[in-house]
Amino acid sequence: ILYLFYYINRIHRDLQRFIEAFKNQDTSLFFNISRNNKYYKGLYNNFNEIIKNFRLVRIEKEIEHHFFRQTVEQVGSGLLAYDDQGDIRLINKAALNLLNLERFNNIINLDVSYPVLSDTLKTIRADDQHFLKLPVRNELKHISVKVSEIILGDERIKLLSLQDISREIDKSEVEAWQRLIRVLTHEIMNTVSPIN
């Protein structure tokens, strides 16, 4: 009876340690399997196997998270994700460089520097696309803002891509001016020919 009481208490104590470790996400717990514990060998093997698998899953999750973060940082377009309260969940270097900002935590922080962008972010809906003119570093930039919406659990996250299209607009304006000059040159030459 004493041995039975001892074994039940020990199993109870080990189960409690195992559950506490899981609750605290502690993957360093290890149950020692020795010849003295031959009655617990199967149980301890299973505990150790579960802890090992849990550790591997956590490592894989951290690797995936790191890979995702590095990928987002390498994207050339600015990426910005925020929730319904306006709290920034993700922002990459390209977005910060485009807006000439160090960091900000909520889209309300944009009210001072970029009120037009801030108002757009508050009202923009999924699959919308806007073209804004923003003064950045004493230069007027044309920004394309495209939105998609992601639902994570019970939260809605808006993911924005910010792209500077100033070069493309400048290039198209130059091409338009060149076409206009060609047309004007042609028209002037046509009217001058009879005079010649």
Side-chain angles (χ1 to χ4, degrees):
I1 289 171
L2 283 174
Y3 271 119
L4 183 62
F5 187 70
Y6 168 78
Y7 288 135
I8 289 172
N9 273 343
R10 185 164 180 178
I11 290 172
H12 182 265
R13 210 171 40 245
D14 290 340
L15 269 173
Q16 203 167 9
R17 277 180 50 214
F18 178 73
I19 291 168
E20 282 293 319
F22 244 85
K23 210 161 47 171
N24 298 324
Q25 297 183 0
D26 178 17
T27 57
S28 63
L29 182 66
F30 178 76
F31 289 92
N32 189 15
I33 301 164
S34 63
R35 277 185 277 165
N36 300 340
N37 296 338
K38 62 182 179 181
Y39 299 110
Y40 303 106
K41 188 174 182 181
L43 180 67
Y44 286 177
N45 271 333
N46 289 333
F47 281 168
N48 289 337
E49 191 67 31
I50 290 169
I51 291 169
K52 179 183 164 191
N53 290 338
F54 183 65
R55 186 181 312 123
L56 291 175
V57 167
R58 275 188 70 185
I59 289 170
E60 285 176 16
K61 187 177 173 185
E62 286 176 21
I63 289 170
E64 285 177 8
H65 180 73
H66 183 69
F67 174 74
F68 171 73
R69 274 282 191 201
Q70 290 302 315
T71 304
V72 166
E73 286 300 325
Q74 296 302 318
V75 172
S77 298
L79 294 176
L80 170 69
Y82 60 95
D83 59 21
D84 288 335
Q85 286 75 39
D87 293 328
I88 304 297
R89 294 299 189 89
L90 175 132
I91 188 165
N92 68 351
K93 286 179 189 172
L96 292 171
N97 290 339
L98 183 65
L99 299 173
N100 193 30
L101 295 170
E102 290 294 316
R103 183 146 298 279
F104 58 100
N105 300 326
N106 194 297
I107 59 172
I108 293 171
N109 302 131
L110 294 172
D111 284 345
V112 176
S113 307
Y114 305 106
V116 175
L117 179 62
S118 179
D119 293 340
T120 303
L121 296 183
K122 289 172 189 171
T123 58
I124 202 164
R125 283 183 267 133
D127 299 324
D128 279 358
Q129 185 167 10
H130 289 271
F131 298 98
L132 306 173
K133 292 180 183 178
L134 299 177
V136 180
R137 297 184 205 102
N138 300 323
E139 179 186 343
L140 193 64
K141 290 199 176 198
H142 298 270
I143 308 287
S144 166
V145 180
K146 194 171 182 183
V147 180
S148 60
E149 201 169 79
I150 304 165
I151 296 175
L152 297 174
D154 56 350
E155 280 188 312
R156 279 187 324 176
I157 306 289
K158 286 184 181 174
L159 178 64
L160 273 75
S161 80
L162 305 166
Q163 195 152 16
D164 183 5
I165 55 171
S166 300
R167 283 191 198 135
E168 287 80 3
I169 288 178
D170 290 344
K171 187 178 175 185
S172 63
E173 283 179 2
V174 167
E175 287 172 0
W177 277 108
Q178 287 173 345
R179 280 196 303 271
L180 181 63
I181 290 169
R182 275 198 299 271
V183 169
L184 287 174
T185 305
H186 180 70
E187 292 300 321
I188 291 171
M189 291 308 286
N190 281 350
T191 54
V192 171
S193 295
I195 295 171
N196 282 342

